[in-house]
Amino acid sequence: MANRTDIDRLSIHEDARAMLARAREDGIDTVWDRLAAQQPQCGYCAMGVSCRNCAMGPCRVDPFGEGPQKGVCGANADVIVARNLGRSIAAGASAHSDHGRDILEVFAELAAGETSGYELRDVEKLRALASEWQIETEDREPMEIARDLAAAMMEDFGTRKNRLGFAGRVPSVRTERWAALGISPRGIDRENVEMLHRTHMGVDNDYVNTLLHGLRTSLSDGWGGSMIATELSDVMFGTPAPVASRVNLGALRPECVNIALHGHNPLLSDVIVQAAADPELVAQARSLGAEGINLVGLCCTGNELQMRQGVPMAGNHLMQELVLLTGALDAMVVDYQCIMPSVTDVAKCFHTVVISTADKAKFTGATHVSFDPRRGLEIGRQIIRLGVEAYANRNPDRVRIPDETVEMMAGFSVEAILGALGGTPEPLVEAIKAGKIRGAVGVVGCNNPKIQQDHGHVTLTRRLIENDVLVLVTGCSAIANGKAGQMMPASADMAGPGLSEVCKALGIPPVLHMGSCVDNTRILVLAAALANHLGVDISQLPLAGAAPEWYSEKAVSIGTYVVASGIFTVLGIQPAIFGSPAVVKLLAEDLDEVIGARFAVEPDPGKAAVLILKHIEAKREALGLDHHETPESLATAA
Ligand code: BF8
Ligand code: SF4
């Protein structure tokens, strides 16, 4: 029998705990078991001082000063740590930006009239974007405008323009800082390729120079690849508006064919939602005894669908194996990123079919259905049919769906937030000036089995809203906070008096779901809009970022572009940099002077809240607004 006390330490949620107990009973391995099997993990790697960038290595530097202090080539700890971090940033930025490129390519094909299942759902946004990109819109058909916009955006990936198309959104003081430091992003692919070049043996042997290019690389993601992904997704799938939805494993329905959509890219999942309503497929499901077809989301593909269509969410990163353990999931459809290779192993213990869809992301043991936007709807139907057929193999005796769902609200695009404010940031600025809202914090990022699932997100968020700080969430954090009941208008009662008053007046929750991880760009856009409205730099605003449970290289890129954009960011998991005190000092102290923001690492979410609140009050003071002391005792508040 599984030990429940031990299981309770792994996740704060009952649905996860119930499935973890089942995994133990049935002897099915999960991410937590594999983490235990890896102990002790390599200390050199954890501190960032191991290198295998060439065949003279692998090398490692002894962080305690006794063993070798240089790799075979002569690289010291500073160079090795900076190179490793630079490569992580490039991998994360590439993941986001390649996702952006995939969206852009389908957008271009749509504009050329070559797709099936796609349309321009937000023509107003298309026109606004086109004007921003200096494309003629007057008296022109949307498809014509889309063609020109697609061509212009393609150029952002290359090197010929030397300036990103969205650069105009950045406050001018910030662009001047970037230019002075030589870190203005020139082209998306260019910065990423250059990072790989610089970190090859014998190229950039100055850690400061490498890390500055790390900032530049991340900016090509935040203000480039990710921003293109968000904005074009809005044009093609609709700009999110507030929508009611539900979350947790209770989103699965025993009486229905259950299909989970997992990964990041809305390109295919959006057409799958259309296909699931196909009367023929619904009839097929009914003929097999199901009441209908139920779609649920996982991770950021789930966020994309929840934001735009209110599709219920089964869970975040650490729920991807546990959802299979319900025995009620007939198909898991995956695109790419954050999909554990283990899902096919767990699925084998049940009747679930795993369907991979991206040619660049195949899974041994999965059924591959190659995505092709020219046959989008047909492929969507094919995938739903596979799910319906798998339902016929479901064993009802093995179905265990643990919980009732929790209600949550999603859909807070910048357009929706400004809409709720009457079309201008002014009311938000006024609420901040009056001190009703002390500031705003983006709580974002992943789960990581090294800490209790969702404890970091939920505790930090609760502490912030209690202290009148508006919280903006994306990615797995949004799902965590939704499950904790923090994301309904009624959750305003959890907030401090000032924030609660503002939320009630506007009918919004104190924690706003802004989307998937590429949608962190929405937070950048909102921050820039506030800064531009006030005529200040982003770094002067009472803002912060936090990634309490991050695991992924994408999160490294996000954290870096958030800091490079001028926003103080607190990480809950230690990055692999502590083998170089010089790199730590640069990122946690010196960056503040050159870029107006820095990183901090604080695993305890209560202490992280204190760090953030102090930062917000200091920024308020510098702006001449009322400010107060943050008591240290808040860190341990109940
Ligand atoms: O892009 S928050 S675990 S699912 S990396 Fe992944 Fe992290 Fe979740 Fe979305 Ni983002
Ligand atoms: Fe070793 Fe230098 Fe090669 Fe890295 S690049 S493996 S430190 S020799």
Side-chain angles (χ1 to χ4, degrees):
M1 191 62 196
N3 175 345
R4 282 304 298 250
T5 326
D6 166 39
I7 282 173
D8 289 356
R9 273 201 290 269
L10 305 183
S11 172
I12 64 167
H13 296 296
E14 274 312 314
D15 63 342
R17 291 170 176 178
M19 290 302 102
L20 276 161
R22 176 176 215 182
R24 299 264 167 105
E25 281 163 31
D26 292 1
I28 297 172
D29 257 8
T30 65
V31 62
W32 288 275
D33 301 306
R34 296 188 298 272
L35 175 64
Q38 285 291 336
Q39 300 310 312
Q41 286 173 302
C42 173
Y44 293 98
C45 293
M47 297 185 88
V49 286
S50 53
C51 178
R52 49 178 184 78
N53 286 10
C54 87
M56 294 190 284
C59 305
R60 56 194 188 180
V61 164
D62 182 354
F64 303 109
E66 282 160 23
Q69 292 301 296
K70 288 181 177 167
V72 176
C73 65
N76 63 15
D78 303 336
V79 170
I80 292 176
V81 166
R83 285 195 308 216
N84 289 339
L85 182 63
R87 285 197 167 195
S88 281
I89 294 170
S94 298
H96 280 150
S97 300
D98 202 41
H99 164 165
R101 187 197 335 256
D102 286 340
I103 305 251
L104 173 55
E105 284 181 346
V106 174
F107 177 68
E109 286 170 304
L110 163 64
E114 291 166 359
T115 55
S116 136
Y118 299 92
E119 57 186 332
L120 299 171
R121 284 200 201 138
D122 191 341
V123 172
E124 199 186 322
K125 182 149 187 170
L126 169 72
R127 287 186 182 277
L129 284 174
S131 305
E132 191 181 350
W133 284 64
Q134 274 109 44
I135 288 160
E136 187 55 56
T137 56
E138 239 179 51
D139 300 325
R140 296 186 78 200
E141 288 300 312
M143 291 298 238
E144 241 182 289
I145 299 171
R147 270 197 292 279
D148 286 356
L149 181 62
M153 285 182 163
M154 296 270 184
E155 289 197 22
D156 254 33
F157 283 85
T159 56
R160 295 194 15 214
K161 270 190 348 193
N162 283 326
R163 181 181 185 273
L164 299 182
F166 285 120
R169 295 181 170 192
V170 185
S172 53
V173 249
R174 183 117 305 254
T175 39
E176 282 156 22
R177 263 193 206 238
W178 292 347
L181 283 170
I183 61 165
S184 310
R186 297 158 294 182
I188 299 161
D189 291 347
R190 177 184 188 150
E191 306 309 356
N192 283 285
V193 171
E194 186 169 318
M195 180 55 90
L196 293 181
H197 176 194
R198 284 183 187 228
T199 53
H200 184 281
M201 201 297 277
V203 184
D204 200 353
N205 294 321
D206 178 297
Y207 75 95
V208 177
N209 207 42
T210 308
L211 292 174
L212 283 174
H213 187 69
L215 301 186
R216 187 183 225 178
T217 306
S218 73
L219 289 170
S220 80
D221 170 5
W223 297 90
S226 279
M227 203 167 271
I228 286 175
T230 297
E231 301 293 35
L232 288 187
S233 295
D234 285 356
V235 171
M236 287 198 285
F237 308 121
T239 302
V243 60
S245 185
R246 291 171 292 119
V247 61
N248 79 20
L249 291 183
L252 297 175
R253 293 170 54 190
E255 73 282 8
C256 288
V257 173
N258 289 307
I259 300 176
L261 303 168
H262 180 15
H264 285 78
N265 199 316
L267 280 174
L268 182 59
S269 45
D270 192 271
V271 281
I272 289 178
V273 175
Q274 297 174 48
D278 184 322
E280 228 175 86
L281 291 167
V282 175
Q284 190 188 355
R286 292 208 173 121
S287 72
L288 292 170
E291 279 183 17
I293 299 167
N294 180 43
L295 300 181
V296 298
L298 281 167
C299 289
C300 285
T301 287
N303 282 324
E304 299 274 356
L305 296 174
Q306 189 181 43
M307 285 286 284
R308 298 196 176 87
Q309 317 199 35
V311 171
M313 179 70 82
N316 54 7
H317 183 55
L318 288 184
M319 299 305 292
Q320 61 183 291
E321 294 172 306
L322 304 186
V323 68
L324 293 161
L325 279 144
T326 60
L329 190 65
D330 303 301
M332 177 182 276
V333 185
V334 300
D335 47 77
Y336 45 53
Q337 298 170 15
C338 301
I339 301 149
M340 291 187 203
S342 63
V343 291
T344 48
D345 297 329
V346 182
K348 264 188 237 146
C349 305
F350 296 88
H351 69 292
T352 317
V353 50
V354 177
I355 303 164
S356 57
T357 57
D359 290 348
K360 65 181 89 172
K362 292 194 178 179
F363 292 66
T364 308
T367 304
H368 189 68
V369 178
S370 178
F371 169 65
D372 177 354
R374 287 164 301 182
R375 300 188 297 115
L377 258 183
E378 183 191 328
I379 290 169
R381 286 196 204 104
Q382 184 187 349
I383 287 171
I384 295 281
R385 195 167 298 119
L386 286 171
V388 172
E389 286 164 5
Y391 168 83
N393 302 326
R394 189 197 292 177
N395 177 354
D397 297 336
R398 292 194 74 201
V399 170
R400 281 201 229 166
I401 299 176
D403 226 341
E404 291 287 306
T405 48
V406 177
E407 292 189 339
M408 67 182 286
M409 207 172 195
F412 290 94
S413 57
V414 175
E415 290 84 344
I417 293 173
L418 293 181
L421 296 170
T424 137
E426 188 62 29
L428 182 57
V429 169
E430 285 310 315
I432 292 173
K433 279 187 181 163
K436 286 184 184 167
I437 296 180
R438 310 303 299 172
V441 176
V443 179
V444 308
C446 325
N447 287 146
N448 187 320
K450 291 179 176 173
I451 57 175
Q452 189 185 30
Q453 186 211 8
D454 292 351
H455 173 70
H457 295 297
V458 170
T459 311
L460 174 61
T461 298
R462 194 179 59 226
R463 219 46 73 71
L464 293 172
I465 61 174
E466 279 168 1
N467 287 283
D468 291 324
V469 172
L470 178 68
V471 173
L472 312 171
V473 288
T474 59
C476 288
S477 186
I479 305 165
N481 294 317
K483 273 171 88 165
Q486 296 169 332
M487 293 173 69
M488 288 299 286
S491 322
D493 287 334
M494 297 176 177
L499 177 62
S500 169
E501 183 193 319
V502 175
C503 289
K504 285 178 180 165
L506 296 171
I508 59 169
V511 182
L512 301 181
H513 193 337
M514 295 192 74
S516 63
C517 281
V518 291
D519 293 339
N520 281 311
T521 58
R522 299 192 200 275
I523 299 180
L524 291 183
V525 171
L526 187 62
L530 290 176
N532 286 331
H533 187 81
L534 286 166
V536 299
D537 190 6
I538 295 174
S539 63
Q540 291 173 267
L541 299 172
L543 302 177
E549 305 180 29
W550 73 276
Y551 94 89
S552 113
E553 289 169 314
K554 291 178 290 169
V556 180
S557 176
I558 294 167
T560 310
Y561 74 62
V562 168
V563 167
S565 298
I567 301 174
F568 171 60
T569 295
V570 183
L571 306 176
I573 301 274
Q574 216 170 284
I577 58 170
F578 282 79
S580 165
V583 169
V584 172
K585 183 170 175 301
L586 179 76
L587 297 177
E589 292 175 29
D590 303 346
L591 264 191
D592 214 6
E593 247 167 68
V594 286
I595 205 83
R598 63 185 180 90
F599 283 100
V601 178
E602 178 47 71
D604 180 316
K607 290 183 184 159
V610 171
L611 275 182
I612 290 171
L613 291 167
K614 283 185 171 173
H615 168 81
I616 282 176
E617 294 300 330
K619 291 291 172 187
R620 292 184 62 87
E621 183 176 8
L623 281 171
L625 302 176
D626 82 275
H627 56 280
H628 46 59
E629 289 289 306
T630 305
E632 295 291 340
S633 58
L634 257 183
T636 48

